[in-house]
């Protein structure tokens, strides 16, 4: 087993803040449950048996470590850069989301909670959570916006096959934001016997740092594999950002390697100069949504603005608070890619490498294609391929008039 | 603008509760969403509440993602926002009301509209408009000491919530920080009318009252005069929100007047402590 799979135990007391961002802005009813989660996670963090169990699941059930693949034809198309893909799409269930879902299910078992709830956008986190619940025999309810149910029908059926109940959410924009609202309302109501598995590095403390820690296996493996393969660290790592969990998992082990550039790619929808996009860090301003202070798409009155992206998983008006801190400090750079650019990259990766990416991950590929030339001769360029695109094929066929 | 309202001793939350105590009843605290059922009738809604004997009015500033609220208040908030209601509009309607009536008002909202308006500007303008308190559903005790300090330094009472899941040590911490009144959430969950009050409510409220000098009001799920009468026996105040918002939406101001009048009757305490 790769040593990188073992999380570095840390007993440090976390403030729950990343600079000014983060925090715990929730109804009083949830405070005790969050305190309990903080305590249980702190104990698990330094418990080797916890990580041993999770590592074993990652290795034998998920298929970790995932490969680091040298994508030569993609590299040529990207101006001749030395491109590697971190293949999170090869995980069981088809995306990075399972890394976190399994970690949190193990924590729920430690807390004695037998009912699990989750929100989902593209359905990948819902499928991952339903899978982890099936594995451990836990009840599972997944909240999903009606608009996302329409465009991600395959994942809805997968969740139901796995024994989860999918509850449609018809409020607001009927997407990920509203599914998250509804999951929080369920949690407020059933908090005594229910654990809420948030799917991204968002929400009240400890979720952003906990989900980051579970996803950091991506960056640890990438760091080790890139060193083994090329003898050096990447010049840059690139990942898409909705809530930002695959990006945070990729970035975190490189934050102290200041020679490694960190680039997050947001969804620009129809364009960041329109009102139809999801580029929170690019065009938002700090505010509070879903329990944390972070960049937020909002109007003059402080109402949350509807996000838009062709990709259901990026269609979210908030973003993880640690990304907000990384943006402000300048340690990471955030750019954006339109729906049209992402769709083009979706098809290009399929034809150049025989890999159909998730529409979310296609945003990272699109940025690589646009920006790859500037990295030529500067070292390995690693793109996190956070998920596979099977779920998106029907939607893309519909949008492009059939393949 | 003057802030005379907040220095008028007759117009404080403490005074409102003291008067109820003298009169042998619980305070009636109706909640309405600003701009619901329509911006046009809002001044009339507030006058009606005052004239039917509301002791304190909770005035909701609508937020797009009210995650502590159930379907009724979600819908009223959504409709109000669609009609252009925001913080500035709400403070204006409050100022108009304050010129006509002296019923204390608590602004009920979420943190983001306040942050966007500016915390200091909000505290200044809300006091000037005639608010006596503010309740921020997603600002639990200890979440942000600096922000909470700004509220504490203002003339407005920051109303804190206590939930059935709040542990005893934290109840004491919240009680110690309480100003105006404490809001006891009668059940885990979001706002919304319920058929039944839960067992054990009296004991839970008594435990909170035992550790705080400020009045304790109970809300979440109280929808009928009969339920209000039961709560009035054990609490210093009774909050009724979703049932009133629902009635306003379906039957307008006059239909809601009948409900408020019935609730007001129900807040009288009987000598033997049974529901009237």
């Amino acid at each position: 087993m790769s040593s990188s799979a073992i999380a570095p135990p840390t007993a440090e007391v976390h403030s729950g803040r990343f600079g000014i961002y983060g925090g715990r802005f929730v109804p009083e009813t949830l405070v005790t449950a969050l305190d309990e989660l903080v305590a249980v996670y702190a104990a698990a963090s330094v418990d080797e048996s916890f990580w041993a169990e999770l590592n074993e699941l990652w290795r034998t059930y998920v298929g970790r470590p995932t490969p680091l693949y040298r994508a030569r034809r993609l590299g040529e198309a990207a101006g001749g850069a030395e491109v590697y893909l971190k293949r999170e799409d090869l995980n069981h269930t088809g995306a990075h989301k399972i890394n976190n879902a399994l970690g949190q299910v193990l924590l729920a078992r430690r807390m004695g909670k037998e009912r699990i709830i989750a929100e989902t956008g593209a359905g990948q986190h819902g499928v991952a959570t339903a899978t982890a619940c099936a594995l451990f025999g836990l009840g599972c309810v997944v909240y999903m916006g009606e608009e996302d149910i329409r465009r991600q029908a395959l994942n809805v059926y997968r969740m139901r096959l796995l024994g989860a109940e999918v509850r449609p959410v018809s409020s607001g924009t009927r997407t990920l934001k509203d599914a998250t609202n509804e999951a929080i309302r369920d949690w407020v109501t059933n908090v005594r016997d229910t654990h809420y598995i948030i799917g991204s590095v968002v929400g009240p403390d400890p979720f952003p740092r906990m989900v980051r820690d579970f996803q950091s296996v991506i960056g640890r493996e990438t760091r080790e594999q890139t060193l083994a393969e090329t003898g050096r660290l990447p010049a840059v790592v690139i990942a898409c950002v909705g809530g930002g969990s695959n990006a945070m998992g990729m970035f975190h082990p490189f934050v102290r390697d200041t020679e490694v550039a960190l680039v997050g790619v947001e969804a620009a929808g129809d364009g960041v100069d329109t009102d139809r996009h999801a580029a929170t860090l690019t065009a938002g301003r700090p505010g509070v949504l879903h329990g944390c202070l972070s960049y937020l798409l909002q109007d003059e009155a402080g109402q949350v603005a509807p996000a838009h992206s062709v990709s259901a998983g990026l269609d979210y008006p908030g973003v993880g608070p640690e990304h907000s801190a990384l943006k402000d400090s300048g340690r990471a750079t955030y750019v954006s890619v339109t729906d049209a650019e992402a769709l083009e990259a979706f098809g290009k990766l399929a034809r150049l490498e025989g890999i159909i990416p998730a529409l979310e991950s296609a945003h990272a590929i699109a940025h690589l294609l646009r920006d790859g030339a500037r990295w030529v001769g500067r070292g390995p360029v690693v793109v996190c391929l956070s998920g596979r695109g099977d779920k998106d094929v029907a939607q893309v066929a519909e949008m492009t008039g059939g393949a | 603008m003057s802030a005379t309202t907040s220095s008028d001793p007759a117009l404080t939350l403490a005074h409102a509760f003291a008067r109820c105590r003298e009169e042998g009843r619980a305070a009636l605290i109706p909640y309405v969403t600003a701009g619901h059922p329509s911006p046009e009738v809002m001044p009339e809604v507030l006058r009606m509440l005052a004239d039917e004997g509301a002791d304190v009015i909770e005035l909701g500033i609508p937020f797009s993602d009210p995650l502590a609220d159930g379907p009724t208040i979600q819908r009223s908030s959504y409709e109000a926002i669609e009609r252009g209601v925001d913080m500035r509009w709400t403070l204006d309607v409050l100022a108009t009301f304050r010129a006509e009536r002296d019923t204390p008002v608590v602004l009920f909202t979420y943190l983001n509209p306040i942050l966007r308006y500016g915390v200091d500007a909000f505290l200044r303008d809300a006091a000037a408009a005639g608010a006596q308190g503010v309740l921020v559903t997603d600002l639990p005790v200890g979440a942000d000491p600096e922000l909470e300090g700004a509220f504490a330094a203002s003339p407005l009472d920051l109303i804190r919530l206590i939930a059935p899941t709040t542990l005893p040590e934290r109840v004491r911490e919240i009680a110690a920080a309480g100003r105006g009144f404490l809001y006891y959430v009668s059940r885990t969950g979001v706002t919304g009318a319920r058929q039944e009050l839960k067992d054990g409510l009296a004991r839970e409220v008594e435990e909170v009252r035992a550790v705080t000098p400020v009045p304790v009001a109970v809300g979440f799920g109280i929808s009928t005069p009969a339920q209000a009468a039961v709560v009035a026996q054990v609490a210093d105040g009774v909050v009724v929100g979703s049932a009133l918002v629902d009635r306003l939406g379906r039957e307008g101001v006059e239909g809601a007047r009948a409900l408020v009048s019935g609730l007001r009757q129900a807040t009288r305490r009987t000598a033997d402590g049974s529901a009237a």
Side-chain angles (χ1 to χ4, degrees):
Chain A
M1 177 164 62
S2 161
S3 63
S4 66
I6 296 163
T10 164
E12 72 177 297
V13 177
H14 196 279
S15 66
R17 294 284 186 137
F18 306 95
I20 65 167
Y21 301 106
R24 197 196 267 183
F25 300 101
V26 294
E28 174 63 28
T29 306
L30 294 180
V31 169
T32 297
L34 292 170
D35 282 343
E36 180 189 16
L37 187 56
V38 166
V40 168
Y41 182 57
S45 297
V46 294
D47 181 346
E48 285 181 17
S49 71
F50 176 83
W51 292 103
E53 186 177 6
L54 183 55
N55 282 321
E56 186 66 6
L57 285 169
W58 280 345
R59 187 176 69 86
T60 63
Y61 186 70
V62 175
R64 303 208 71 93
T66 57
L68 184 75
Y69 164 69
R70 173 78 191 267
R72 293 179 194 279
R73 276 163 52 79
L74 178 65
E76 283 165 27
E82 182 188 348
V83 172
Y84 292 83
L85 298 178
K86 178 58 175 168
R87 298 291 307 275
E88 292 299 300
D89 61 317
L90 295 178
N91 282 322
H92 178 46
T93 71
H96 69 291
K97 296 292 189 184
I98 191 76
N99 302 333
N100 166 55
L102 285 170
Q104 288 205 49
V105 158
L106 293 185
L107 288 178
R109 280 161 56 86
R110 287 189 165 218
M111 292 185 285
K113 296 195 170 179
E114 299 196 335
R115 178 176 180 269
I116 299 292
I117 57 172
E119 84 295 335
T120 199
Q124 289 302 116
H125 174 58
V127 167
T129 302
T131 298
C133 288
L135 183 62
F136 287 99
L138 301 175
C140 181
V141 172
V142 179
Y143 289 91
M144 189 169 187
E146 283 183 342
E147 166 67 11
D148 292 337
I149 285 178
R150 186 190 64 74
R151 55 183 169 174
Q152 299 289 347
L154 176 66
N155 273 344
V156 175
Y157 188 63
R158 291 170 78 197
M159 285 183 268
R160 289 180 175 148
L161 269 180
L162 291 160
E165 180 193 345
V166 180
R167 291 194 185 160
V169 176
S170 59
S171 57
T173 50
R174 298 191 287 273
T175 57
L176 180 54
K177 169 188 78 115
D178 310 285
T180 306
N181 287 342
E182 221 44 60
I184 292 173
R185 289 181 185 121
D186 180 314
W187 203 31
V188 170
T189 307
N190 301 299
V191 60
R192 290 188 177 96
D193 70 350
T194 298
H195 176 60
Y196 175 23
I197 300 189
I198 292 185
S200 192
V201 287
V202 301
D205 183 67
F207 285 105
R209 59 189 166 97
M210 192 173 76
V211 177
R212 174 203 68 199
D213 290 350
F214 289 140
Q215 293 296 0
S216 290
V217 66
I218 300 171
R220 285 196 305 277
E221 287 178 4
T222 298
R223 195 173 186 284
E224 204 168 84
Q225 290 166 325
T226 311
L227 280 170
E229 194 79 18
T230 70
R232 52 173 298 181
L233 290 174
V236 59
V237 294
I238 300 171
C240 64
V241 177
S245 70
N246 90 86
M248 209 56 246
M250 177 60 96
F251 291 176
H252 188 61
F254 291 108
V255 165
R256 286 181 187 154
D257 300 315
T258 50
E259 69 271 35
V260 179
L262 312 175
V263 177
V265 185
E266 297 194 295
D270 291 348
V272 289
D273 51 348
T274 73
D275 59 3
R276 282 172 55 80
H277 66 79
T280 306
L281 290 161
T282 306
R285 51 186 290 174
V288 169
L289 177 68
H290 297 152
C292 66
L293 176 67
S294 193
Y295 277 80
L296 178 65
L297 296 178
Q298 55 179 314
D299 69 13
E300 291 298 316
Q303 311 297 357
V304 179
H308 165 78
S309 170
V310 66
S311 144
L314 302 183
D315 198 346
Y316 184 68
V319 68
E322 196 167 6
H323 283 297
S324 293
L326 288 172
K327 173 193 160 80
D328 284 7
S329 72
R331 178 63 189 91
T333 307
Y334 296 89
V335 298
S336 65
V337 155
T338 63
D339 284 355
E341 291 170 311
L343 282 166
E344 192 184 335
F346 179 87
K348 262 198 177 157
L349 188 66
R351 288 188 298 275
L352 288 171
E353 297 286 353
I355 298 171
I356 299 173
L359 277 174
E360 292 76 22
S361 323
H363 285 72
I365 300 294
H367 176 68
L368 169 80
L369 289 167
R370 188 174 63 188
D371 196 52
R374 64 182 282 227
W375 299 101
V376 173
R378 293 167 66 181
V381 175
V382 179
V383 181
C384 186
L385 198 66
S386 55
R388 68 179 185 224
D390 308 44
K391 68 187 176 61
D392 299 314
V393 168
Q395 183 196 351
V396 171
E398 187 184 310
M399 293 181 69
T400 57
Chain B
M1 293 218 269
S2 79
T4 53
T5 51
S6 53
S7 57
D8 177 355
L11 186 47
T12 63
L13 295 170
H15 181 80
F17 279 92
R19 197 179 61 195
C20 291
R21 199 156 44 238
E22 283 163 21
E23 295 177 5
R25 59 189 179 84
L28 175 63
I29 310 174
Y31 165 95
V32 289
T33 302
H36 178 267
S38 74
E40 294 72 30
V41 304
M42 202 61 210
E44 197 185 333
V45 169
L46 294 175
R47 282 196 301 269
M48 178 274 285
L49 295 176
D51 295 346
E52 292 304 324
D55 296 292
V56 175
I57 295 170
E58 272 189 19
L59 180 58
I61 301 165
F63 177 51
S64 56
D65 294 81
L67 51 79
D69 284 303
T72 303
I73 295 177
Q74 287 176 45
R75 200 175 316 116
S76 68
S77 301
Y78 176 80
E79 290 171 10
I81 292 167
E82 286 291 293
R83 291 172 173 191
V85 170
D86 60 9
M87 177 79 75
R88 187 67 261 167
W89 188 91
T90 305
L91 296 182
D92 286 346
V93 88
L94 169 57
T96 303
F97 171 73
R98 182 56 68 231
E100 301 169 339
R101 300 288 191 279
D102 62 4
T103 310
V105 169
V106 171
L107 296 170
F108 177 109
T109 192
Y110 290 78
L111 195 48
N112 203 55
I114 295 175
L115 292 179
R116 190 63 198 258
Y117 192 88
V119 175
D120 292 339
F122 165 75
L123 292 170
R124 179 194 67 218
D125 293 354
Q132 280 64 47
V134 57
L135 190 161
V136 188
T137 54
D138 52 358
L139 185 64
V141 168
D144 193 319
E146 192 180 328
L147 196 55
E148 293 166 85
F151 280 89
S154 88
L156 299 179
D157 289 331
L158 179 60
I159 308 303
R160 307 322 287 257
L161 294 100
I162 293 174
T165 50
T166 308
L167 298 176
E169 190 176 322
R170 185 169 164 84
V171 169
R172 284 190 291 275
E173 184 190 345
I174 296 171
R179 284 173 54 186
F181 64 93
L182 291 171
Y183 189 133
Y184 186 75
V185 175
S186 67
R187 61 181 70 220
T188 61
V190 294
T191 58
R194 304 292 201 291
Q195 294 301 315
E196 306 289 336
L197 291 171
K198 70 170 186 185
D199 295 337
L201 181 63
R203 180 182 47 77
E204 292 170 10
V205 174
E206 199 42 56
E207 284 171 8
V208 176
R209 290 182 75 190
V211 295
T212 182
V214 300
V216 177
V218 172
F220 279 43
I222 300 164
S223 50
T224 66
Q227 291 172 335
V230 173
V231 174
Q233 302 307 317
V234 299
D236 301 300
V238 181
V239 183
V240 178
S242 297
L244 175 59
V245 169
D246 181 61
R247 186 72 73 92
L248 272 169
R250 285 189 295 113
E251 299 179 21
V253 178
E254 288 314 307
R257 184 187 298 277
L259 174 62
V260 176
S261 171
L263 290 166
R264 178 63 166 72
Q265 295 297 317
T267 58
R268 280 178 306 185
R269 292 204 188 91
T270 54
D272 62 357
S274 65

